[in-house]
Amino acid sequence: MWGVATAACQIEGAAAIDGKGPSIWDVYSRKRGSIDGGDTPEVACDFYQHFPDDVKLMQELGVKDFRFSISWPRVLPEGTGRVNERGLDFYKRLTDTLFSHGITPHATLYHWDLPQALQDRYDGWQSRRVVEDFGAYAALMGKHLGDRIRDWMTLNEISSFTRGAYGVGKPGQMAPGHSLASERDVNQVVHHALLAHGIACQALRASCPASPRISIAENYSPFIPVLEDPAGVDAACKAFRRENGGILMPILTGSYDLEWMEDHRDSLPEMRPGDMELIHQPLNALGSNCYTGRYVRPAEKPKGYEIIAWSPKFPVAGPTWLHIVPESIYWAVRLVGEAAARKDLPIFISENGCADSCEPDASGLVRDIDRIMYYRAYLSQLLRAVAEGYPVTGYFPWSLLDNFEWARGYSQRFGLVRVDYATQKRTPKLSYDWYRGVIAANRIV
Ligand code: NOJ
């Protein structure tokens, strides 16, 4: 699959139109100082109105697969109960349009836009009540959209909307931006998200008329052995299990990693009987949101590995966290089989991309050769995984359009297509032409 990825809150706009309820991002972004430039997702790319043209852009690009997310407060303005038919209708019109352009929809149920009503009612992800409500929402989507959508992702990047939003003693940068008293409280929030993933898998399987293909889009950390010899690979495997031990490992294996538990022995979440079984649902695939990775080497330490610190001028592609590590995409695939013992699981890249630093030229073209370099380097490493027989099934670059980059607002542009936010004019960038060439030739060009 050659696709593109997006998310509701980052592109749709129409934040209070046709009965949509507010999300935590609508409310959080209005809080002074929370978002660069005071930006909000209120209008974004106005995909809500412009989607027919944007689907045409996808078709011209040649993609056959489109990843988007459903806005929970658009279909359930209060989070539970009353269904907003006009919200549901939007996703029906969107999927119809995709089909008429030969494009398959891949829907994420939760890409960070919790209904504010649930934040107000019980503090959102801090409460275990969210699990049941998420299950009911998933069942509703399966019932109403399951005839059109077969490919589902439950949640997007658990660590980002939990650890990124809830700091210990200081608020996180993601909505709702709360500070919690202890690491244990943060681990509890994560545990609720894991349970929500599990219950959504069950709800979709019970409610979709045709058997759904279910995955989760996770930004687990890949580790790259500095020296690729058996000891180096062993160090990467150890780091992979332990550092991903609190999210990916329970999803894939049914238990928190033992060494991760050792690291968190004073801050483990409350786990009830049956929780780990619920979290450990069968998956049809794993989505990897892969942007960067860390280098490791074996070490004479209790952990058996050392994560190498970034050298001061290590190249980045846009945001300061986005170190350019093309090998990360190869190891993100390989280590799922090798470290987590899930060689059976097909993997697709649910996101990969970078922010460019270019202004359009006089003709409006963005000559984003930095993005082309980035994509070519990462795809070459993904090709290595394919060549070695790993089950790679697809690639969804982030993103089709420049969009609302959360706490960074509109300042960081991740799109293959430039968006002029004042006019909503779309202009394909040079990287769009390049990616079209890749898809047409079905190889790296
Ligand atoms: C991952 C997130 O899923 C997406 O929403 C975000 O825009 C990109 N990373 C880039 O930071």
Side-chain angles (χ1 to χ4, degrees):
M1 295 181 285
W2 293 110
V4 276
T6 62
C9 176
Q10 295 180 271
I11 60 166
E12 283 181 4
I17 286 176
D18 286 347
K20 176 181 167 292
S23 80
I24 53 174
W25 277 94
D26 293 321
V27 173
Y28 176 67
S29 63
R30 288 198 289 264
K31 220 170 83 185
R32 242 181 121 82
S34 58
I35 315 285
D36 292 356
D39 292 341
T40 76
E42 194 175 339
V43 180
C45 311
D46 198 17
F47 181 76
Y48 192 76
Q49 314 276 353
H50 289 257
F51 76 86
D53 289 337
D54 292 336
V55 173
K56 276 197 205 108
L57 278 173
M58 291 180 220
Q59 189 186 39
E60 282 158 24
L61 182 58
V63 300
K64 298 271 188 293
D65 295 272
F66 176 50
R67 176 176 179 225
F68 62 100
S69 78
I70 296 171
S71 160
W72 184 354
R74 193 178 290 291
V75 291
L76 288 166
E78 287 94 37
T80 55
R82 184 179 64 84
V83 176
N84 178 28
E85 290 298 336
R86 285 176 296 174
L88 260 186
D89 185 60
F90 168 65
Y91 295 106
K92 290 184 183 162
R93 287 183 288 126
L94 171 61
T95 44
D96 284 347
T97 308
L98 290 168
F99 291 134
S100 67
H101 290 75
I103 299 170
T104 303
H106 297 250
T108 312
L109 284 173
Y110 187 75
H111 202 124
W112 309 355
D113 45 356
L114 187 80
Q116 178 66 29
L118 303 184
Q119 192 65 40
D120 295 340
R121 204 174 301 159
Y122 50 65
D123 289 332
W125 290 102
Q126 282 179 256
S127 165
R128 196 172 165 118
R129 287 170 67 186
V130 74
V131 177
E132 202 179 310
D133 288 346
F134 189 64
Y137 158 59
L140 192 79
M141 293 305 99
K143 179 171 152 212
H144 290 286
L145 301 173
D147 55 340
R148 302 146 183 269
I149 302 173
R150 289 200 65 188
D151 294 280
W152 297 88
M153 281 150 276
T154 54
L155 304 171
N156 181 74
E157 295 195 356
I158 291 180
S159 68
S160 302
F161 72 84
T162 57
R163 295 190 168 279
Y166 298 89
V168 180
K170 62 169 182 3
Q173 291 204 352
M174 299 290 180
H178 281 181
S179 120
L180 300 181
S182 69
E183 181 67 17
R184 190 187 166 281
D185 292 345
V186 178
N187 286 336
Q188 195 65 47
V189 172
V190 175
H191 192 68
H192 296 153
L194 293 170
L195 293 168
H197 159 72
I199 207 165
C201 291
Q202 292 186 337
L204 286 171
R205 291 212 163 91
S207 63
C208 286
S211 59
R213 292 182 286 259
I214 303 177
S215 61
I216 181 168
E218 263 304 316
N219 59 329
Y220 57 92
S221 308
F223 292 92
I224 300 96
V226 175
L227 191 63
E228 197 180 318
D229 61 5
V233 174
D234 185 54
C237 286
K238 286 195 175 109
F240 186 88
R241 283 191 291 269
R242 193 163 189 153
E243 307 291 331
N244 296 305
I247 297 180
L248 187 71
M249 294 303 282
I251 291 170
L252 297 189
T253 69
S255 51
Y256 287 103
D257 176 67
L258 291 180
E259 284 164 340
W260 180 89
M261 287 178 87
E262 187 55 30
D263 293 339
H264 293 256
R265 62 183 170 280
D266 300 324
S267 57
L268 290 175
E270 186 217 350
M271 298 177 223
R272 299 191 188 161
D275 278 4
M276 298 319 293
E277 291 75 12
L278 180 56
I279 292 167
H280 185 213
Q281 293 298 307
L283 291 177
N284 298 91
L286 174 66
S288 165
N289 284 9
C290 182
Y291 289 84
T292 187
R294 300 298 303 258
Y295 291 91
V296 287
R297 63 172 185 171
E300 301 285 327
K301 295 181 179 178
K303 288 187 175 179
Y305 62 87
E306 179 198 351
I307 298 176
I308 315 291
W310 296 111
S311 39
K313 294 204 173 146
F314 198 98
V316 296
T320 49
W321 56 267
L322 215 170
H323 296 96
I324 304 175
V325 184
E327 312 94 299
S328 59
I329 208 163
Y330 167 77
W331 291 98
V333 171
R334 175 166 163 182
L335 291 176
V336 169
E338 202 150 325
R342 287 299 307 266
K343 289 212 165 84
D344 58 303
L345 201 57
I347 300 177
F348 61 99
I349 304 304
S350 36
E351 286 183 29
N352 171 239
C354 64
D356 63 61
S357 53
C358 316
E359 285 303 313
D361 66 13
S363 73
L365 180 66
V366 172
R367 301 160 187 261
D368 53 343
I369 48 176
D370 42 359
R371 175 170 290 107
I372 295 173
M373 176 276 285
Y374 178 98
Y375 277 145
R376 190 182 271 134
Y378 277 70
L379 276 179
S380 304
Q381 290 288 326
L382 190 59
L383 186 58
R384 177 181 171 200
V386 173
E388 291 178 12
Y390 292 101
V392 178
T393 59
Y395 180 74
F396 293 73
W398 182 272
S399 178
L400 175 68
L401 304 168
D402 292 338
N403 59 55
F404 176 71
E405 177 59 11
W406 310 112
R408 300 286 78 79
Y410 296 100
S411 65
Q412 283 174 355
R413 295 177 173 271
F414 276 82
L416 293 162
V417 175
R418 169 99 181 175
V419 176
D420 178 336
Y421 295 108
T423 60
Q424 292 300 347
K425 187 172 182 311
R426 276 68 164 145
T427 313
K429 302 178 189 176
L430 204 53
S431 57
Y432 173 101
D433 294 337
W434 175 80
Y435 188 44
R436 183 171 50 195
V438 169
I439 297 173
N442 196 35
R443 63 183 184 84
I444 303 165
V445 291

